């Protein structure tokens, strides 16, 4: 993530201005080009050098022939999950209701920051119908239940909600328009260059690329010519991934799932460092790093449905013979992690977990949805998130047509239930940045650490590295007083938090000193005790 400085702001806004105006300039030049011939103007007076002319005419053709029809195609209504039963809705509402710390903010942000005077009963009901029925309208018999939820919100607010309908409009991701921005051929050329750098870096670091069938080559744009030389093929239909073979008999392998952005490029150093600097390791710790292309600045297939994604990941895991692994994910990857944890197909194989900047906790709160899709950007980092994240055509479609919050949310109790599956318990660490502009990390952190396990000592090795991890996490990251759970020593047991006071969303991967405590914690998580994996 970019910082909030004035220089970065000017650079970013200039970059966005350039990229955003390529299409209109290209169309204008194309119109001038055609008009000059139709009106018998001297074309040479208006012609640019041949390479520039080819580029602009290509951009104009790409916008009109590819982007506009594709944007219209993506507006199709989605297929929502099976509706919840009345009991399931009531339980979900009660759970959400219990964890709303700021009721006024909760209501206002779900209604796109509307003023309280503009929010009336029908506006709130409109939101509730979408949130708990996945619909714009419900059966007449369900309206009483909707009214019950409104009354419960009134008690939470400590005031009544006026009857009628105000001017407020609710945020209903899966019903609203897919709101995306055009991406130029020049931008996709940049993506292709970054992809090539990532490809070479991963190969250099000992990873093998597993492509999909060669017949699927044209289903991804920009094209990836280097993938044609890969001799490894993915056992899954849609998912490509990078694999480093697992040779250690005393460690567990790692499954890594990235977040929204430009693929695995921001994580190459992190993935390289996961298996370095450990002299006691008897071999390499295997890693599978999935590529989730619909959220990686590409034009490709729609984001996979939950069950399809789980099935394809399980197919990959079985293909490599893994029976248990450490799950590591970042940002949007926590949504896929949630599906893996909830599925009886994949959950038994998941050992310890590291969630970095997760977005799946307290997802009923409006922060993630509002900050990513509706907030008007002001600072440089907000513009970066807005233009290069939420306005990307694949990301916008994923969030508007494939993102069902009630399926994607995970509760602390879900992690507790998972603990009972293993004799020693599943260990979970959540890494947060104190300056995160997407997630309300203070609220989520308090929720996770309230009445949670305080990290019992689990052995000499966990004890030995506990202070090292915590010191590395805290050093140089701000000396202001923090809440106790933010500075609690990491013990390698139960549910714990690593807090990085000055880090924004995703910034923890940028510096070696902030990657180090996360990598050390994962290293402890991979350790087997008296058990041979192979």
């Amino acid at each position: 993530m970019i910082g909030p400085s004035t220089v970065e702001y000017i650079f970013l806004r200039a970059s966005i201005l350039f990229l955003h105006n390529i299409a209109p300039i290209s169309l204008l030049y194309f119109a001038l080009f055609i008009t000059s011939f139709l009106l018998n103007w001297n074309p040479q007076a208006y012609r640019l050098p041949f390479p520039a002319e080819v580029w602009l005419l290509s951009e104009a053709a790409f916008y009109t022939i590819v982007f506009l029809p594709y944007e219209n195609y993506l507006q199709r209504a989605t297929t929502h999950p099976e509706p919840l039963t009345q009991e399931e809705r009531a339980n979900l509402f009660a759970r959400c209701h219990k964890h709303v710390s700021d009721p006024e903010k909760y209501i206002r942000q779900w209604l796109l920051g509307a003023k309280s005077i503009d929010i009336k009963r029908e506006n709130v009901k409109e939101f509730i119908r979408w949130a708990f029925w996945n619909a714009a309208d419900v059966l007449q018999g369900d309206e009483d239940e909707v009214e019950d939820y409104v009354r419960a919100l009134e008690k939470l607010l400590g005031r009544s909600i006026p009857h009628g309908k105000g001017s407020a409009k609710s945020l209903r991701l899966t019903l609203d328009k897919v709101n995306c921005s055009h991406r130029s051929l020049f931008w996709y050329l940049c993506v292709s260059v970054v992809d090539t750098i990532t490809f070479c870096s991963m190969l250099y670091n000992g990873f093998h690329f597993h492509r999909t069938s060669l017949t699927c080559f044209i289903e991804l744009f920009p094209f990836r010519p280097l993938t044609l030389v890969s001799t490894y093929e993915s056992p899954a239909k849609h998912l490509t991934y990078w694999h480093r073979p697992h040779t250690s008999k005393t460690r567990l392998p790692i499954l890594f799932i990235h977040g929204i952005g430009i693929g695995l490029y921001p994580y190459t150093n992190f993935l390289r460092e996961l298996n370095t600097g450990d002299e006691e390791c008897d071999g390499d710790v295997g890693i599978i790093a999935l590529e989730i292309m619909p959220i990686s600045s590409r034009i490709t297939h729609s984001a996979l449905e939950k069950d399809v994604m789980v099935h394809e990941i399980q197919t990959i895991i079985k293909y490599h013979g893994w029976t248990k692994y450490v799950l590591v994910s970042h940002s949007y990857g926590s949504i896929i992690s949630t599906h893996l944890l909830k599925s009886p197909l994949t959950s038994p194989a998941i050992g310890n977990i590291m969630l970095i900047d997760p977005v799946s906790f307290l997802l009923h709160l409006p922060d993630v949805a509002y900050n990513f899709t509706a907030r008007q950007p002001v600072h440089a980092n907000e513009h970066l998130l807005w233009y290069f994240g939420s306005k990307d055509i694949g990301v916008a479609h994923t969030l508007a047509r494939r993102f069902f919050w009630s399926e994607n949310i995970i509760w602390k109790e879900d992690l507790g239930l998972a603990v009972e599956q293993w004799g020693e318990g599943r260990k979970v660490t959540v890494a947060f940045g104190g300056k995160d502009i997407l997630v309300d990390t203070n609220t989520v952190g308090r929720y996770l650490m309230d009445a949670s396990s305080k990290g019992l000592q689990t052995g000499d090795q966990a004890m030995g590295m506990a202070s090292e991890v915590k010191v590395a996490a805290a050093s140089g990251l701000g000396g202001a007083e923090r809440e106790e759970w933010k500075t609690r020593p990491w013990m390698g047991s139960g549910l714990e938090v690593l807090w990085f006071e000055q880090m924004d969303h995703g910034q923890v991967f940028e510096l070696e000193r902030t990657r180090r405590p996360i990598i050390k914690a994962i290293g402890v998580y991979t350790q087997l005790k008296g058990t041979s994996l192979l």
Side-chain angles (χ1 to χ4, degrees), residues 276-393:
T276 58
D278 191 345
E279 298 178 356
E280 299 179 2
C281 190
D282 62 334
D284 288 333
V285 172
I287 299 174
I288 291 175
L290 301 177
E291 289 188 325
I292 315 299
M293 284 302 170
I295 60 167
S296 299
S297 302
R298 268 73 167 193
I299 298 177
T300 185
H301 59 80
S302 300
L304 301 181
E305 296 178 353
K306 176 189 66 173
D307 293 338
V308 176
M309 175 66 78
V310 168
H311 175 75
E312 292 210 358
I313 292 175
Q314 177 65 6
T315 300
I316 293 169
I317 296 299
K318 288 183 64 177
Y319 178 78
H320 291 284
W322 292 8
T323 57
K324 190 177 179 183
Y325 57 88
V326 173
L327 178 60
V328 181
S329 65
H330 176 242
S331 192
Y332 182 88
S334 67
I335 300 298
I336 300 174
S337 298
T338 295
H339 299 160
L340 295 176
L341 283 164
K342 291 182 178 180
S343 172
L345 181 68
T346 50
S347 182
I350 298 174
N352 302 319
I353 303 169
M354 171 66 73
L355 301 173
I356 307 162
D357 299 330
V359 298
S360 51
F361 290 109
L362 300 187
L363 197 53
H364 68 288
L365 299 180
D367 300 275
V368 172
Y370 179 83
N371 291 339
F372 199 83
T373 67
R375 176 179 56 194
Q376 292 300 309
V378 176
H379 304 293
N381 49 359
E382 294 173 353
H383 279 280
L384 178 70
L385 189 69
W386 170 75
Y387 185 80
F388 294 99
S390 64
K391 293 299 181 180
D392 174 79
I393 195 166

Side-chain angles (χ1 to χ4, degrees), residues 26-190:
S26 301
L27 292 170
L28 180 63
Y29 182 76
F30 178 75
L32 184 64
F33 182 83
I34 296 298
T35 303
S36 66
F37 284 98
L38 294 177
L39 299 181
N40 293 319
W41 293 349
N42 178 12
Q44 298 304 320
Y46 305 97
R47 299 287 290 270
L48 293 174
F50 182 72
E53 187 172 80
V54 170
W55 171 47
L56 289 178
L57 294 180
S58 299
E59 292 282 10
F62 183 73
Y63 179 80
T64 54
I65 299 173
V66 178
F67 174 74
L68 289 180
Y70 190 52
E71 181 189 31
N72 183 65
Y73 170 77
L74 294 180
Q75 302 303 325
R76 298 177 305 160
T78 189
T79 301
H80 287 90
E82 286 294 319
L84 301 176
T85 65
Q86 193 280 331
E87 182 180 3
E88 289 171 335
R89 282 195 303 270
N91 289 336
L92 179 60
F93 180 85
R95 220 171 193 183
C96 296
H97 191 79
K98 180 181 178 182
H99 297 290
V100 176
S101 58
D102 188 341
E104 290 290 349
K105 174 187 174 185
Y106 175 76
I107 293 295
R108 291 188 61 207
Q109 281 201 339
W110 276 122
L111 277 83
L112 296 175
K115 297 178 181 178
S116 298
I117 194 173
D118 297 323
I119 300 173
K120 296 187 177 180
R121 212 170 195 81
E122 286 305 314
N123 304 112
V124 177
K125 286 185 176 182
E126 184 180 67
F127 160 69
I128 290 175
R129 293 184 192 108
W130 167 75
F132 296 95
W133 277 265
N134 287 315
D137 298 296
V138 299
L139 298 175
Q140 188 61 39
D142 290 330
E143 284 296 339
D144 289 341
E145 186 180 346
V146 175
E147 179 64 26
D148 289 340
Y149 295 158
V150 174
R151 293 194 190 102
L153 287 174
E154 286 180 319
K155 290 181 180 179
L156 194 66
L157 289 164
R159 62 175 177 83
S160 62
I161 300 174
H163 289 274
K165 186 170 185 178
S167 59
K169 182 182 177 182
S170 62
L171 176 58
R172 302 180 299 173
L173 289 178
T174 56
L175 299 179
D176 294 338
K177 178 184 176 182
V178 178
N179 195 357
C180 57
S181 293
H182 168 66
R183 294 292 185 265
S184 65
L185 287 173
F186 178 80
W187 166 250
Y188 286 120
L189 175 62
C190 295

